[in-house]
Amino acid sequence: MAFTSVQKIRFDDVDGAGIVYYPQFFHLCHAAFEDFFDSAAPVSYPELVGQRRLGFPTVAIESSFSAPLVYGDVAVVELTVERMGRSSVTFGYQIRRKRDGVLCFRASITTVLVSIDTMKPVPLSDEHRSLFERLLPEK
Amino acid sequence: MAFTSVQKIRFDDVDGAGIVYYPQFFHLCHAAFEDFFDSAAPVSYPELVGQRRLGFPTVAIESSFSAPLVYGDVAVVELTVERMGRSSVTFGYQIRRKRDGVLCFRASITTVLVSIDTMKPVPLSDEHRSLFERLLPEK
Amino acid sequence: MAFTSVQKIRFDDVDGAGIVYYPQFFHLCHAAFEDFFDSAAPVSYPELVGQRRLGFPTVAIESSFSAPLVYGDVAVVELTVERMGRSSVTFGYQIRRKRDGVLCFRASITTVLVSIDTMKPVPLSDEHRSLFERLLPEK
Amino acid sequence: MAFTSVQKIRFDDVDGAGIVYYPQFFHLCHAAFEDFFDSAAPVSYPELVGQRRLGFPTVAIESSFSAPLVYGDVAVVELTVERMGRSSVTFGYQIRRKRDGVLCFRASITTVLVSIDTMKPVPLSDEHRSLFERLLPEK
């Protein structure tokens, strides 16, 4: 089942062409990822990073942009899990405009759980597996 | 032949894990794209957008991250053209750390020339074709 | 009476010293200002800017920073109005950390209502006066 | 004597009103501050922060905005030192548009040298005093 995070497009999110600057879409994704941790994980992402010294850096992205967001839009970000490996998790993101439901962006973002101190992969714990399993598509 | 833009990693480019926030890599790419226009195009990107009301929004990204950048690093961004269609241009980006030459990031970013007022595709002019041809790989 | 906006400190809000990058405090203020319009104004800030072509650019700031915010903090931003002139409004901002209530930042930010097309001052309408009067300190 | 840093306004520096988002002016100041360290200090700012665990967080700002910057502008940032205390340094910033020399922004930004680990003030070393003395106004 997907996790949904709703975020306002802010005054500074647009670029010189008056639409949301494309790197900002990935920021919306990361904010949804953090919100998922806040809502569902035993440990928030700040605690995971700051205290457990673990993190999920991005290793690969495949994404497409199909409609613009503008200042005043509200972005509805949907987060799912597409694949889990030993240390890796591929998240699926879809961003829609709230005003008309139009799909603006989709991405598959592959991350790897690493030790922040060594930047080496660490196997996903059972805790993380069960956290992310909730976001797998239902069969 | 590739165009190269060199950019300092700034104090605010890092995230809570102490490495460059991954959406920021796309910002480095866009800055290199703007620098290429400044150095080689008859019309700068601000003029293209502001006066001619044309732009190159991103429609697709495929990218991978292989090493982190940290505060104090200098990013060497290399820009090439991988493909040109009627209205579309796929740019290739590679980002290396200056201190050791390690490849940190590569991306294929497909853009489409559009009218900013209608957001509809516009065929590439001969001016744009010859501009981007310089960035095609040599045979 | 003050308007309060609550905002999460995000993964990218910190700098190379691990605390919120100081310009970001002004971003938190602007987000609160936008939230106030969304909650209380007849016209949202995006509509004011986009349709009525009016805006409140900042002309002067006086601010002090007394404690840091870190990743994982929640910022409680309090917005008041300190003074209203013919076209100008001075907003007062206080930012506290939610975890302990410590005051991190305060600012007086003077803005002027302008026509975005001419950037010339425009007198505050009655609508705006009554909107901002709610934020004046009670006597 | 002032230190000067020249910086392009980038595609994402503008806001929904089409001018540079005001918190971004402080980012331009910080970039100039970092460039000064890179050009004149025995230790760069990343090294000061990362290895010596010292930093100059901002404690007070007084600033005014007199003209906008737009996409395509080049900002000329001038950095001076207005005052030095035992641990504090007040920097003066002026930002002009390159195209017409118009003053857009000025600020007095007071910082304090602190240990990043304790966030307590540390007296300025002779090294730092002589570094900043170069930026004092000539008599």
Side-chain angles (χ1 to χ4, degrees):
Chain A
M1 222 189 65
F3 173 78
T4 300
S5 168
V6 174
Q7 291 165 56
K8 282 186 196 179
I9 298 306
R10 296 290 187 182
F11 200 43
D12 65 320
D13 288 334
V14 298
D15 60 27
I19 59 176
V20 169
Y21 187 53
Y22 83 82
Q24 204 62 17
F25 281 85
F26 298 104
H27 176 66
L28 294 171
C29 292
H30 204 278
F33 172 82
E34 295 175 53
D35 288 349
F36 171 66
F37 269 78
D38 282 350
S39 93
V43 163
S44 74
Y45 201 65
E47 287 164 337
L48 189 76
V49 167
Q51 278 130 55
R52 302 209 184 168
R53 306 292 296 152
L54 295 171
F56 285 93
T58 293
V59 296
I61 292 177
E62 207 202 285
S63 69
S64 60
F65 300 73
S66 41
L69 291 169
V70 298
Y71 179 47
D73 268 330
V74 171
V76 180
V77 187
E78 233 182 68
L79 168 59
T80 55
V81 166
E82 298 181 347
R83 272 187 304 279
M84 262 194 283
R86 202 172 151 269
S87 301
S88 73
V89 188
T90 300
F91 296 96
Y93 292 93
Q94 294 204 333
I95 299 182
R96 288 171 192 281
R97 294 192 298 227
K98 199 181 167 195
R99 62 177 145 109
D100 57 10
V102 165
L103 181 70
C104 298
F105 171 85
R106 55 151 299 280
S108 291
I109 299 184
T110 301
T111 65
V112 173
L113 180 62
V114 300
S115 151
I116 285 172
D117 297 315
T118 65
M119 292 301 277
K120 300 279 178 219
V122 167
L124 292 165
S125 66
D126 288 346
E127 198 177 273
H128 279 128
R129 286 192 179 279
S130 68
L131 176 68
F132 297 135
E133 265 160 13
R134 307 184 203 179
L135 297 181
L136 284 167
E138 282 158 87
K139 301 195 185 140
Chain B
M1 223 188 64
F3 173 78
T4 300
S5 168
V6 174
Q7 292 165 55
K8 283 186 195 181
I9 298 305
R10 295 290 188 185
F11 200 42
D12 65 320
D13 288 334
V14 298
D15 61 25
I19 58 175
V20 169
Y21 187 53
Y22 82 81
Q24 204 62 16
F25 280 85
F26 298 104
H27 176 67
L28 295 172
C29 292
H30 203 279
F33 172 83
E34 295 175 53
D35 288 347
F36 171 66
F37 268 78
D38 282 349
S39 93
V43 164
S44 75
Y45 201 64
E47 287 164 335
L48 189 76
V49 167
Q51 278 128 55
R52 301 209 187 169
R53 306 292 296 152
L54 295 171
F56 285 93
T58 293
V59 295
I61 292 177
E62 206 201 285
S63 69
S64 61
F65 300 73
S66 42
L69 290 169
V70 298
Y71 179 47
D73 269 331
V74 170
V76 180
V77 187
E78 234 183 68
L79 167 61
T80 56
V81 168
E82 297 180 347
R83 271 186 306 279
M84 263 194 283
R86 198 170 153 272
S87 300
S88 72
V89 189
T90 300
F91 295 95
Y93 292 93
Q94 295 204 333
I95 299 181
R96 290 169 192 281
R97 295 192 296 229
K98 199 180 167 196
R99 62 177 145 109
D100 57 11
V102 164
L103 181 70
C104 297
F105 171 87
R106 53 150 300 282
S108 291
I109 299 185
T110 302
T111 64
V112 172
L113 180 62
V114 301
S115 152
I116 285 173
D117 298 315
T118 65
M119 291 303 276
K120 299 279 177 220
V122 167
L124 292 165
S125 66
D126 289 346
E127 196 177 273
H128 279 129
R129 287 193 176 278
S130 68
L131 176 67
F132 296 134
E133 265 161 13
R134 306 183 204 180
L135 297 180
L136 283 167
E138 281 159 86
K139 305 205 180 132
Chain C
M1 222 190 61
F3 172 78
T4 301
S5 167
V6 175
Q7 291 163 58
K8 284 187 195 180
I9 299 305
R10 295 290 186 182
F11 200 43
D12 64 319
D13 288 335
V14 298
D15 60 26
I19 59 176
V20 169
Y21 187 53
Y22 83 81
Q24 204 63 14
F25 281 84
F26 298 104
H27 176 65
L28 294 171
C29 293
H30 204 278
F33 172 82
E34 295 174 54
D35 287 348
F36 171 66
F37 269 78
D38 282 348
S39 94
V43 163
S44 74
Y45 201 64
E47 287 165 336
L48 189 76
V49 168
Q51 278 129 55
R52 302 209 185 168
R53 306 291 297 155
L54 295 171
F56 285 93
T58 293
V59 296
I61 293 177
E62 207 201 284
S63 70
S64 60
F65 300 73
S66 41
L69 290 169
V70 298
Y71 179 46
D73 269 330
V74 170
V76 180
V77 187
E78 233 181 69
L79 168 61
T80 56
V81 167
E82 298 180 348
R83 273 186 306 280
M84 262 193 284
R86 200 172 151 271
S87 301
S88 73
V89 188
T90 300
F91 296 95
Y93 292 93
Q94 294 204 334
I95 299 181
R96 289 171 192 280
R97 293 192 297 227
K98 199 181 167 195
R99 63 178 145 110
D100 57 11
V102 164
L103 182 70
C104 297
F105 171 86
R106 55 149 298 282
S108 292
I109 299 185
T110 302
T111 65
V112 173
L113 181 61
V114 301
S115 152
I116 285 172
D117 298 315
T118 65
M119 291 302 277
K120 300 280 178 219
V122 167
L124 291 166
S125 66
D126 289 347
E127 196 177 271
H128 279 129
R129 287 194 176 279
S130 68
L131 176 68
F132 296 134
E133 264 160 15
R134 308 182 202 180
L135 297 181
L136 284 166
E138 280 158 89
K139 307 213 177 120
Chain D
M1 223 189 62
F3 172 78
T4 301
S5 167
V6 174
Q7 291 165 56
K8 283 186 196 179
I9 299 305
R10 295 290 187 182
F11 200 42
D12 64 321
D13 287 336
V14 298
D15 61 25
I19 59 177
V20 169
Y21 187 53
Y22 83 81
Q24 203 63 15
F25 281 85
F26 299 103
H27 176 66
L28 294 172
C29 293
H30 204 278
F33 172 83
E34 295 175 56
D35 287 348
F36 171 66
F37 268 78
D38 282 349
S39 93
V43 163
S44 74
Y45 200 64
E47 287 165 337
L48 189 76
V49 167
Q51 278 129 56
R52 302 209 184 169
R53 306 292 296 156
L54 295 171
F56 285 93
T58 293
V59 296
I61 293 178
E62 207 201 284
S63 68
S64 60
F65 299 73
S66 41
L69 290 169
V70 298
Y71 179 47
D73 268 331
V74 170
V76 180
V77 187
E78 233 182 69
L79 167 61
T80 55
V81 166
E82 298 181 349
R83 272 186 307 278
M84 262 193 284
R86 201 173 151 271
S87 301
S88 72
V89 189
T90 300
F91 296 95
Y93 292 93
Q94 295 204 335
I95 299 181
R96 289 171 192 280
R97 293 192 296 228
K98 199 179 167 198
R99 62 179 145 108
D100 58 11
V102 165
L103 182 69
C104 298
F105 172 86
R106 55 149 299 283
S108 291
I109 299 184
T110 302
T111 64
V112 172
L113 181 62
V114 301
S115 152
I116 285 171
D117 298 314
T118 65
M119 290 303 277
K120 301 280 177 219
V122 166
L124 291 165
S125 66
D126 289 346
E127 198 177 272
H128 279 130
R129 289 195 175 277
S130 68
L131 176 68
F132 297 134
E133 266 161 13
R134 307 183 202 179
L135 297 181
L136 284 166
E138 282 158 87
K139 304 203 181 131

